[in-house]
């Protein structure tokens, strides 16, 4: 191995070659990974505005759970709910197969990643719920007494 | 107490100002002025910050709800430990704690500074520490004051879960944030000394060892903090396993990566004067990344599971980051020209070359993680659309990088400065590689046998990790063998003692090398755990009736029934799952869910039975008809290796921090006692850490008990005798008519129900169908109004429980069901939104839910009302297996962590003190300096 490399000049040159190789491989890795693992980050309203153009593509959508719409079927392990964003104009009907996270039904923010179907249902592959009140307590938990 | 805290905070800000002025004045007079005053200022800052923290803790423990922060984060019934932990549970409190930690580092540095002689370097280092503390004190006083009082007297909410979210009431809360904060704030110390060195252009041996030592301190806190966080996340359902590449997780990983890179190049700078510019950049970057982490956590700029607040702190923190970045850039630019390397890399296969490659790989990982984290901003800026990457991106790029890093770590022991270590190094590498190949393939094969897959990258990672372990062990063996044999010759008179002494001398001489090997081995053990659990995994979900069986890997699970732990604050519903392996019963696991009477959603508690080869991870997803449970069973291979690797790594970092001389730096008996106390704490840390790392919560039955537990006992122990009786079911419904005209509710009662009474004239029989008696209740409510109806009927119950079906055509808001004494709400097939149970006058339990179904489509709701005798208690004579996440506070873990923190800081301070003394005396004696 050492003998094989000795033709390539000084150690500095060899290290720079290694540097170039690592950077090239890294760029290639990042490029492939970004193509396969990236999705556009939208709010519910922004996705709704895209209309039919959004169907069939991967998206990451943020919004809040509409508390009353949550339907959890433990037997089928399917979670169905609506989400909307702060503007509240549009609702997105989401179907997620997987365990229901705790603390799901309080209207706290979440992010879903998945694809939009032609019937307007969002098939979520991944669902992330914020861990509650790490830095901010929810408002209105204490009440003033006159 | 609050006034005291608020005053301490204002005092902290003022003293911060004074400290800055005093330090500036001292820097002007070249370190001669105000030596005592500077030290006092650093001590006073710590004292005031600690006082403010203590006041807030007292307020939290006493639950003084006049203060907004206390009202937000505590509640009645919250255990004391979590009341204390609420100090770092919220934005303002955690910022105060953060500031206190910076001032703690300042005070420790002041202690570690010898009192006599020239301390120009410390003038600048103390000044920078004061400046950082002052910046955060400013944020505290003007933007996020934890001592803000509410406008009027308030009543604390009656919250059964106790204010702090139940998810945060986990033993992890008592340790994880503390360690991560210590790690991130700890990056300030090396930066401060770096600035001192660059600005004053001091000789390197006067300040560089301090930088290296304190980077190691911060690095080891970050490491253990991330591991505790990973473990916590692993034990909580829905947080994405132990690592989710969440922006805040990335935020702590970024400075960790740059600090790791620095710890390697620092070695080359100390020994050969290389990478001097690069190291300056790394020190500044690590500090800056720790500020960046603060910014990410508190600005709300990126979305994360760690719930950032969109607080006002964002712009402030941006200013702080810019100011310190500019200051660091100026300081480094000042010395850039003088930082020429004193040597060059002569061979690729040398320690210098290895360090170079290590930095290349670590910085590549850093670049990847940073790119992925800031991609949403960047793409918004460039393309106008926000683009995010999923965990798959980070895994795809980082996995190959880390396999290469592991290979490099395997080669590391055989690289010396300038060249390969010995003539026979290649032979040893070949042996280690062969061993690694055998072990790697064996591990992969044993995993394949259970999980039926063999991803090539995981096999490569496993092999590479074994290579690291084999290489380190081989070099230690070689080194130890020669040390013992040479010493044995000298002490032939007493062979046994000679060997022990030789071992001690060898350990003392090579403590940094052995420490580094231990760290490498710890990382490799973690890597084995990560590669195995990341690439291999089994998961089965099943609706199980009592008596049903399920096989997961080598485990046979039998669900034997549900149980209830009664309680005032909350009740826990658990499933008894009998775990057997190879026909032998190991015990019972109890995944559970805790219900709170105040409307806090139920919390799922995962049960984990941890063995070295796999973790059996059970989740109670829900319950179904007839006392059935929906179970989610995972088999996660070798997760325990991650935690064990963390222990090894910690031991290694402690060894690296051990000072060169073991001389106790004090003479007075009091201070010697303090040193002895530190030693005790080190031992405590080791004990606590071991307790943490070991799967101790797995209560193993004794050998004789195991022999007793051959399978046939199953039927005898676990299925409770059927209990029969009669109960009254009272359903009170409040129905709001949201439709345009009144409609009726179809209500299904159990087929064997008797004595049905409803408000006369409001109901009629609808017949019998599907084993149910159907009635129609028509309250005649006008649109928008709410009516109350009471339906009472008597049903016999048995061990199978009683199910109640309810069909409503109303767009009903709330339906309340009053269940009999001891009844337990079990199943909610189709019953959604909030479900609550509340004690009603000690006689009944109320369960209600919100239903909403647009368009008047009927819901079908099954509610099982189960009196206590239905539930199977924990089978007698069987041990409960596995840790139930967050079930109890682990005092050992908290004590161990405290001991460990004290040990690390004390060792580092001790080392700094002795090295500063040495460098001072060597500076006074140029001859010795040149000789060194």
């Amino acid at each position: 191995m050492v003998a094989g490399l000795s033709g390539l000049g000084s150690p500095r040159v060899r290290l720079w070659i290694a540097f170039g190789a690592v950077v090239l491989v890294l760029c290639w890795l990042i490029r492939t990974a970004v193509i396969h693992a990236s999705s556009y980050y939208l709010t519910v309203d922004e996705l709704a505005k895209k209309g039919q153009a959004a169907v069939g593509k991967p998206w990451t959508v943020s919004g809040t759970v509409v508390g009353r719409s949550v339907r959890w079927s433990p037997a089928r392990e399917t979670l169905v709910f609506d989400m909307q964003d702060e503007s509240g104009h549009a609702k997105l009907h989401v179907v997620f197969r997987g365990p229901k996270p705790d603390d799901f039904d309080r209207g706290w923010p979440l992010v879903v990643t998945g694809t939009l179907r032609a019937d307007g249902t969002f098939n979520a592959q991944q669902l992330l719920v914020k861990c509650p009140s790490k830095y901010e307590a929810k408002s209105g938990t204490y009440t003033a007494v006159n | 107490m609050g006034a005291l805290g608020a005053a301490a905070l204002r005092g902290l800000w003022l003293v911060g100002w004074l400290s800055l002025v005093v330090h500036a004045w001292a820097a002007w007079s070249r370190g001669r002025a105000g030596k005592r005053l500077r030290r006092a200022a650093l001590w006073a800052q710590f004292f005031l910050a600690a006082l403010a923290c203590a006041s807030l803790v007292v307020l939290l423990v006493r639950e003084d709800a006049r203060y907004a922060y206390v009202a937000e984060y505590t509640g009645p019934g919250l255990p004391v430990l979590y009341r204390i932990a609420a100090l770092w549970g919220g934005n303002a409190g955690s910022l105060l704690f953060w500031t206190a930690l910076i001032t703690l580092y300042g005070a420790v540095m002041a202690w570690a500074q010898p009192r006599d002689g020239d301390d120009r370097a410390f003038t600048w280092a103390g000044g920078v520490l004061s400046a950082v503390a002052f910046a955060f004190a400013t944020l505290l006083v003007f933007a996020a004051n934890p001592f803000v009082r509410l406008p009027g007297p308030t009543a604390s909410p009656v919250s059964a879960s106790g204010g702090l979210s139940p998810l945060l009431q986990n033993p992890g809360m008592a340790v994880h944030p503390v360690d991560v904060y210590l790690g991130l704030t700890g990056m300030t110390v090396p930066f401060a000394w770096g600035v001192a060195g660059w600005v004053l252009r001091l000789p390197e041996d006067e300040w560089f060892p301090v930088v290296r030592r304190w980077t190691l301190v911060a690095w080891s806190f970050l490491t253990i903090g991330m591991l505790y966080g990973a473990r916590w996340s692993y034990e909580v359902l829905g947080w994405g396993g132990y690592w989710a590449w969440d922006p805040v997780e990335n935020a702590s990983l970024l400075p960790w990566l740059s600090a790791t890179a620095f710890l390697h190049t620092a070695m080359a700078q100390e020994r050969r004067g290389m990478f001097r510019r690069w190291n300056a950049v790394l020190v500044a970057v690590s500090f800056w990344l720790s500020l960046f982490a603060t910014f990410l956590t508190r600005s709300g700029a990126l979305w994360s599971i760690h719930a950032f607040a969109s607080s006002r702190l964002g712009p402030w923190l941006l200013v702080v980051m810019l100011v310190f970045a500019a200051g660091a850039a100026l300081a480094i630019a000042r010395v850039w020209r003088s930082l020429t390397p004193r040597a060059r890399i002569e061979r690729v296969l040398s320690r210098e070359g290895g360090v170079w490659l290590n930095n290349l790989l670590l910085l590549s990982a850093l670049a990847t993680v940073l790119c992925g984290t800031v991609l949403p901003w960047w793409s918004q800026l460039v393309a106008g659309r926000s683009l995010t990457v999923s965990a798959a991106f980070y895994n795809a790029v980082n996995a190959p990088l880390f396999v290469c890093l592991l290979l490099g770590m395997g080669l590391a022991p055989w690289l010396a400065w300038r060249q390969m270590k010995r003539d026979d190094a290649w032979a040893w590498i070949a042996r280690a590689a062969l061993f690694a190949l055998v072990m790697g393939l064996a591990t992969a094969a044993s995993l394949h046998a259970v999980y039926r897959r063999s991803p090539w990258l995981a096999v490569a990672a496993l092999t590479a990790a074994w290579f690291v372990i084999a290489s380190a062990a081989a070099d230690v063996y070689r080194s130890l063998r020669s040390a013992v044999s040479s010493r044995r010759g000298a002490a032939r008179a007493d062979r046994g003692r000679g060997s022990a002494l030789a071992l001690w001398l060898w350990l003392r001489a090579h403590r940094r090398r052995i420490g580094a090997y231990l760290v490498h081995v710890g990382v490799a053990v973690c890597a084995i755990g990560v590669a195995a659990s990341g690439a291999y995994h089994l998961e089965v979900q099943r609706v199980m009736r009592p008596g049903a069986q399920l096989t997961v890997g080598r485990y046979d699970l039998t669900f034997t029934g549900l149980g209830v732990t009664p309680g005032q604050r909350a009740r826990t519903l658990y499933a008894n799952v009998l775990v057997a392996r190879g026909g032998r019963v190991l015990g019972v696991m109890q995944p559970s869910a805790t219900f709170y009477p105040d409307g806090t959603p139920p919390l799922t508690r995962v049960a984990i039975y941890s063995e070295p080869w796999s973790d059996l991870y059970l989740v109670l997803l829900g319950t179904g008809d007839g006392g059935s449970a929906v179970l989610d069973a995972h088999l996660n291979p070798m997760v325990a290796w991650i935690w064990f690797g963390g222990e090894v790594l910690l031991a290694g970092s402690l060894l690296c921090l051990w000072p060169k001389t073991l001389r106790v730096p004090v003479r007075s008996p009091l201070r010697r006692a303090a040193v002895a106390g530190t030693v005790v704490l080190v031992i405590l840390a080791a004990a606590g850490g071991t307790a943490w790392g070991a799967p101790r919560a797995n209560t193993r039955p004794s050998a004789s008990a195991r022999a007793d537990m051959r399978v046939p006992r199953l039927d005898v122990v676990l299925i409770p005798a059927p209990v029969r009786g009669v109960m009254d079911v009272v359903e009170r419904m409040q129905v709001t008519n949201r439709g345009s005209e009144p409609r009726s509710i179809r209500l299904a009662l159990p087929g064997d129900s008797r004595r049905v009474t409803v408000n006369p004239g409001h109901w009629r029989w609808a017949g019998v169908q599907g084993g149910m008696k159907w009635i129609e209740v028509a309250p005649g409510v006008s649109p928008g109004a709410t009516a109350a109806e009471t339906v009472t009927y008597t049903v016999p119950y048995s061990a199978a429980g009683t199910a109640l079906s309810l069909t409503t055509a109303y767009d009903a808001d709330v339906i309340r069901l009053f269940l009999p004494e001891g009844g337990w709400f079990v199943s909610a097939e189709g019953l959604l939104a909030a479900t609550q149970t509340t004690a009603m006058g000690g006689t009944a339990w109320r369960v209600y839910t919100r239903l909403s179904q647009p368009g008047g489509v009927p819901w079908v709701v099954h509610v099982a009302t189960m009196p206590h005798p239905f539930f199977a208690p924990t089978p007698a004579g069987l041990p409960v297996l596995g840790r139930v996440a967050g079930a109890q506070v682990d005092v050992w873990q908290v004590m161990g962590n405290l001991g460990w923190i004290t040990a690390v800081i004390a060792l580092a301070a001790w080392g700094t003190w002795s090295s500063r003394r040495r460098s001072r005396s060597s500076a006074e004696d140029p001859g010795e300096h040149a000789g060194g």
Side-chain angles (χ1 to χ4, degrees):
Chain A
M1 189 175 168
V2 180
L5 284 171
S6 62
L8 291 170
S10 74
R12 278 175 77 79
V13 174
R14 282 188 227 152
L15 287 172
W16 280 112
I17 291 171
F19 178 81
V22 168
V23 168
L24 277 181
V25 170
L26 187 74
C27 289
W28 176 77
L29 275 172
I30 289 181
R31 186 180 162 273
T32 348
V34 163
I35 289 170
H36 287 112
S38 67
S39 50
Y40 283 101
Y41 188 87
L42 299 169
T43 60
V44 174
D45 210 32
E46 286 165 350
L47 184 69
K49 282 190 186 137
K50 294 212 175 285
Q52 284 300 310
V55 171
K57 291 180 190 143
W59 301 102
T60 300
V61 187
S62 70
T64 53
V65 187
V66 180
R68 291 175 173 193
S69 68
V70 179
R71 269 181 275 158
W72 162 238
S73 162
R76 290 188 296 277
E77 221 199 331
T78 305
L79 185 64
V80 182
F81 59 93
D82 292 346
M83 61 191 275
Q84 61 182 27
D85 56 22
E86 284 166 4
S87 67
H89 295 314
K91 274 187 188 172
L92 182 65
H93 189 63
V94 183
V95 177
F96 172 69
R97 278 189 64 87
K100 174 170 151 300
D102 282 329
D103 244 348
F104 191 69
D105 29 25
R106 280 201 188 174
W108 267 328
L110 84 161
V111 162
V112 291
T113 304
T115 46
L116 189 68
R117 288 203 312 227
D119 64 355
T121 306
F122 192 81
N123 253 5
Q125 274 100 50
Q126 196 195 20
L127 178 144
L128 277 173
V129 189
K130 278 191 181 189
C131 90
S133 75
K134 175 93 182 243
Y135 289 112
E136 286 302 306
K138 57 196 181 298
S139 57
T141 50
Y142 47 90
T143 47
V145 175
N146 294 318
Chain B
M1 193 45 83
L4 181 67
L9 211 54
R10 280 194 294 274
L12 174 66
W13 189 76
L14 272 179
V15 171
W17 249 127
L18 280 177
S19 176
L20 277 181
V21 171
V22 171
H23 277 94
W25 171 47
W28 185 260
S29 68
R30 293 175 185 268
R32 281 187 287 271
K35 206 177 278 183
R36 282 177 176 232
L37 203 57
R38 272 181 285 137
R39 205 183 298 272
L42 287 172
W43 276 103
Q45 275 181 308
F46 171 61
F47 173 75
L48 289 168
L51 187 65
C53 278
S55 318
L56 190 55
V57 166
V58 170
L59 289 182
L60 286 165
V61 170
R62 279 198 199 154
E63 205 192 315
D64 193 337
R66 288 171 303 169
Y67 291 86
Y69 190 81
V70 178
E72 278 172 20
Y73 293 103
T74 59
L78 188 67
V80 172
L81 187 77
Y82 294 129
R83 281 169 189 274
I84 298 171
L87 172 62
W88 51 83
N91 188 23
S94 65
L95 201 65
L96 171 62
F97 185 57
W98 182 280
T99 313
L101 291 179
I102 295 176
T103 58
L104 166 72
Y105 280 119
V108 170
M109 293 318 295
W111 178 85
Q113 182 65 14
R115 270 143 222 268
D116 42 353
D118 170 36
D119 65 352
R120 276 191 307 157
F122 188 61
T123 312
W124 277 86
V128 172
L129 278 165
S130 284
V132 178
F134 175 71
F136 280 98
T138 310
L139 293 185
L140 271 173
V141 173
F142 296 106
N145 195 323
F147 295 102
V148 171
R149 287 178 70 139
L150 288 169
T154 61
S156 191
V158 179
S159 161
S161 54
L164 196 65
S165 163
L167 281 175
L168 297 186
Q169 292 181 30
N170 181 291
M173 185 65 185
V175 287
H176 157 68
V178 180
D179 288 332
V180 170
Y181 283 15
L182 271 168
L184 290 175
T185 54
M187 294 295 175
T188 317
V189 179
F191 174 72
W193 279 91
V195 169
W198 303 324
V199 169
L200 299 170
R201 302 188 190 206
L202 292 174
E204 240 153 53
D205 57 350
E206 207 170 303
W207 58 278
F208 195 75
V210 187
V211 172
R212 193 196 69 85
R213 193 181 303 273
W214 287 89
T215 305
L216 183 58
V217 169
W219 177 90
S220 46
F221 282 137
L222 262 186
T223 312
I224 186 67
M226 287 195 289
L227 279 169
Y228 273 130
R231 181 149 193 179
W232 181 2
S233 169
Y234 175 67
E235 290 174 356
V236 170
L237 183 70
W239 278 9
Y242 48 78
W243 193 266
W245 297 106
D246 174 80
V248 166
E249 291 173 352
N250 292 350
S252 57
L253 182 66
L254 290 170
W256 185 88
L257 286 169
S258 60
T260 313
F262 170 77
L263 288 173
H264 288 88
T265 38
M267 199 169 59
Q269 177 166 349
E270 276 187 342
R271 286 294 293 269
R272 302 207 60 213
M274 301 168 75
F275 300 107
R276 295 169 72 210
R277 286 175 179 166
W278 180 235
N279 279 338
V281 172
L282 280 181
V283 167
V285 161
S286 299
F287 170 68
W288 192 82
L289 283 173
S290 76
L291 287 181
F292 179 66
T294 324
F295 173 71
L296 269 187
T297 327
R298 292 161 198 279
S299 65
L302 277 181
W303 193 89
S304 152
I305 55 167
H306 287 72
F308 308 148
S310 305
S311 68
R312 294 174 298 161
L313 288 178
W316 286 82
L317 283 165
L318 216 54
V319 169
V320 172
M321 277 161 68
L322 286 176
V323 165
F324 281 105
L330 279 177
I332 296 176
R334 195 179 137 83
V335 283
W336 189 257
R337 281 173 178 280
S338 69
L339 289 179
T340 42
R342 300 209 177 107
R344 293 201 175 276
I345 298 177
E346 290 160 31
R347 285 192 186 81
V348 175
L349 284 173
S350 61
R351 204 171 279 175
E352 300 92 316
V355 161
W356 193 90
L357 276 172
N358 149 296
N359 265 240
L360 180 59
L361 291 169
L362 283 171
L363 268 286
S364 299
L366 192 150
T368 310
V369 177
L370 190 63
C371 283
T373 312
V374 301
L375 189 66
W377 294 334
W378 188 75
S379 55
Q380 183 75 46
L381 218 64
V382 173
R385 289 190 299 176
S386 197
L387 191 66
T388 54
V389 284
S390 62
F393 161 79
Y394 296 102
N395 292 334
V397 182
N398 283 319
L401 285 177
F402 278 88
V403 171
C404 293
L405 265 175
L406 284 170
L407 286 174
M409 280 160 67
L411 281 179
W414 312 107
L415 301 175
W417 297 113
R418 295 184 166 171
Q419 61 203 334
M420 290 288 288
K421 211 171 218 173
R422 302 173 195 91
D423 298 337
D424 59 349
W426 282 109
W428 278 101
I429 290 173
R431 275 175 234 174
L434 188 68
F435 174 79
L437 204 62
V438 171
M439 288 303 290
L441 291 179
T443 316
S446 68
L447 287 167
H448 182 90
V450 179
Y451 302 90
R452 297 279 152 214
R453 56 198 304 255
S454 297
W456 69 269
L457 199 58
V459 178
L462 289 170
T463 313
W466 278 112
F467 181 46
V468 177
I469 298 171
S471 267
D475 192 46
V476 166
Y477 168 74
R478 272 185 53 109
S479 167
L480 196 58
R481 192 179 58 175
S482 68
V484 170
S485 62
S486 66
R487 179 76 204 172
R488 201 175 268 170
R492 203 172 287 270
D494 191 338
R495 287 195 138 205
R497 260 184 55 200
S499 299
L501 187 63
L503 185 68
W504 169 248
L505 288 176
W506 173 82
L507 195 65
R508 224 180 83 173
H510 300 279
R511 67 198 183 289
R512 257 173 77 171
R513 181 151 65 107
I514 304 305
Y517 283 176
L518 272 179
V519 171
H520 279 191
V521 167
V523 170
V525 172
C526 282
I528 290 175
V530 171
S533 58
Y536 304 85
H537 174 234
L538 279 183
E539 185 182 358
V540 190
Q541 285 108 28
R542 192 72 58 82
V543 183
M544 296 176 85
R545 292 190 162 275
Q549 291 198 323
L550 172 67
T551 302
V552 187
R554 293 164 302 154
Y555 296 100
D556 296 313
L557 310 181
T558 311
F559 170 64
T560 64
L562 295 163
V564 174
T565 315
Q568 285 297 315
R569 274 182 59 228
R571 285 171 146 206
T572 298
L573 173 74
Y574 57 85
N576 282 316
V577 181
L578 195 77
V579 182
R581 192 179 48 208
R584 214 170 59 173
V585 180
L586 299 174
V588 181
M589 280 175 79
Q590 296 181 326
S592 59
T594 304
F595 292 80
Y596 300 93
D598 69 339
T600 304
L603 179 69
T604 314
R605 295 195 188 276
V606 179
I608 303 167
Y609 177 52
S610 187
E611 288 193 298
W613 294 107
S614 56
D615 275 13
L616 182 60
Y617 186 103
L618 293 187
V619 187
L620 179 63
L621 284 180
T623 50
D625 299 336
S628 63
V630 186
L631 282 177
D632 186 19
H634 300 248
L635 198 63
N636 303 324
M638 301 176 93
V639 176
W641 289 52
I642 303 175
W643 321 133
F644 178 68
E647 288 300 310
V648 177
L649 199 149
L650 287 189
S653 59
L654 272 184
L655 203 57
C656 286
L657 280 171
W658 204 266
K660 198 179 258 174
T661 49
L662 287 168
R663 203 156 50 89
V664 179
V666 284
R667 293 220 176 88
S668 81
L670 193 69
R671 292 194 180 171
R672 277 185 189 262
V675 172
T678 307
V679 173
V680 170
L681 280 170
V682 174
I683 295 165
L684 254 183
T690 317
W692 175 70
R696 73 204 165 314
N698 301 334
T699 350
R700 283 176 169 280
S702 66
S704 60
R706 276 194 204 191
D708 266 0
M709 285 192 307
R710 307 287 162 184
V711 171
R713 289 189 58 172
L714 239 179
D715 299 350
V716 184
V717 183
L718 296 164
I719 308 295
V723 178
R724 296 188 184 281
V726 177
M727 67 177 173
D728 284 332
V729 178
V730 185
E731 285 178 36
R732 278 176 214 159
M733 290 171 279
Q734 282 190 350
V735 186
T736 306
N737 181 8
R738 297 202 183 282
S740 53
E741 55 186 61
R743 279 172 293 185
S744 60
I745 304 170
R746 266 175 79 85
L747 195 62
L749 312 181
D752 48 1
S753 55
R754 283 169 268 173
R755 281 203 290 131
V756 181
T757 56
V758 194
N759 196 0
H762 282 186
W763 72 288
R764 67 178 183 84
W765 282 107
V768 179
Q769 195 188 341
M772 293 286 181
K773 280 181 180 169
W774 290 86
I775 59 169
E776 268 182 11
V777 182
V781 198
S782 54
T786 303
E789 285 293 339
T790 307
V791 182
T792 310
Y793 53 90
T794 302
V795 279
Y797 66 77
S798 69
T802 300
L804 166 75
S805 295
L806 180 71
T807 309
T808 170
Y810 274 90
D811 181 9
D813 241 359
V814 176
I815 291 180
R816 293 195 170 88
L817 303 172
F818 286 79
L819 309 184
E821 169 68 17
W824 184 256
F825 164 76
V826 170
S827 148
E829 180 85 23
L831 179 71
L832 311 149
T835 52
Q836 303 185 3
T837 51
T838 310
M840 292 292 291
T843 57
W845 287 82
R846 180 178 64 174
V847 175
Y848 68 88
T849 184
R850 277 178 295 170
L851 295 175
S852 167
Q853 183 77 331
V857 183
W859 279 108
V860 179
V861 178
H862 301 279
V863 180
T865 57
M866 299 191 180
H868 270 325
F870 171 78
F871 296 109
T874 304
L878 283 180
V880 176
L881 290 181
R883 180 188 173 93
V884 175
Q888 73 252 343
V889 174
D890 191 337
V891 177
W892 268 107
Q893 188 186 336
V894 176
M895 286 305 297
N897 191 50
L898 274 180
W900 186 75
I901 291 169
T902 321
V904 167
I905 292 183
L907 276 180
W910 185 358
T912 308
W913 183 85
S914 53
S915 77
R916 297 282 303 150
R917 267 189 82 93
R918 261 205 315 285
S919 78
R920 203 198 61 226
S921 57
S922 65
E924 282 163 5
D925 178 3
E928 188 188 329
H929 183 203

